[in-house]
Amino acid sequence: MTSRTGLRLLFALLLASWAVRADAQSQKSVSITPVQSLSFGLLLPGLREAVRVTDVSRRAVVALAGNGPVDVALVLPSSMETATGERIPLQFSAGDAALLTTSGSTIGTLDPLQVNRVQLGNDRTVLFVLGGTAITAATTRPGHYTARVALLVNQPGT
């Protein structure tokens, strides 16, 4: 934000809040490891900025490992906010989440607005990725905007 740019740039970072480990009473367990936070980068007032699940440098990534089916749900924020209460609305839609192999191949597209059943097997690690859209207004003020996403993982029958 220098006088040379003449533009009001915003730095927005969507931080993720994830559980570290989920153990059930049975022998089953799921390992949950945050890898990368969702980052919208510098935002310009009055523009939308979409982060796709294919954007390897800005999408959120969480590694999941274990055996058997798990239900994955997200608690998604409606906006990012500064410490002083300024807000930038966020939008998430079907296709803003996906499940990948560790080599990057797509296993399937997921809907972050729904509970998704994911089949884990042979203790292999899969990557849950999340994108989304930030929508700034022409009057959006510069600042450091953040929000939290909660990832809920449940093993059916435990």
Side-chain angles (χ1 to χ4, degrees):
M1 305 235 278
T2 65
S3 58
R4 285 187 279 171
T5 63
L7 296 174
R8 298 177 92 189
L9 298 177
L10 304 173
F11 180 74
L13 176 66
L14 182 59
L15 299 174
S17 165
W18 316 103
V20 176
R21 184 151 175 97
D23 288 321
Q25 293 176 346
S26 69
Q27 298 287 352
K28 295 181 180 182
S29 69
V30 176
S31 171
I32 304 166
T33 307
V35 176
Q36 177 176 293
S37 295
L38 178 59
S39 176
F40 291 99
L42 294 175
L43 299 174
L44 297 173
L47 298 176
R48 299 168 63 96
E49 182 64 30
V51 174
R52 308 248 180 256
V53 294
T54 55
D55 188 335
V56 296
S57 65
R58 299 189 310 152
R59 68 186 179 196
V61 180
V62 176
L64 303 172
N67 286 309
V70 293
D71 292 329
V72 177
L74 295 168
V75 179
L76 298 167
S78 59
S79 64
M80 293 185 289
E81 193 171 331
T82 65
T84 60
E86 300 287 332
R87 292 177 185 243
I88 295 176
L90 295 175
Q91 187 175 58
F92 299 94
S93 58
D96 277 342
L99 201 60
L100 309 175
T101 65
T102 53
S103 63
S105 300
T106 302
I107 297 171
T109 301
L110 305 174
D111 184 348
L113 304 174
Q114 304 293 325
V115 176
N116 296 275
R117 174 80 36 107
V118 174
Q119 182 67 39
L120 301 176
N122 301 327
D123 283 324
R124 73 179 173 135
T125 299
V126 295
L127 302 176
F128 179 87
V129 297
L130 177 68
T133 303
I135 307 163
T136 62
T139 57
T140 300
R141 298 181 57 172
H144 181 76
Y145 291 78
T146 62
R148 294 209 178 267
V149 174
L151 176 70
L152 308 174
V153 177
N154 179 55
Q155 288 187 305
T158 57

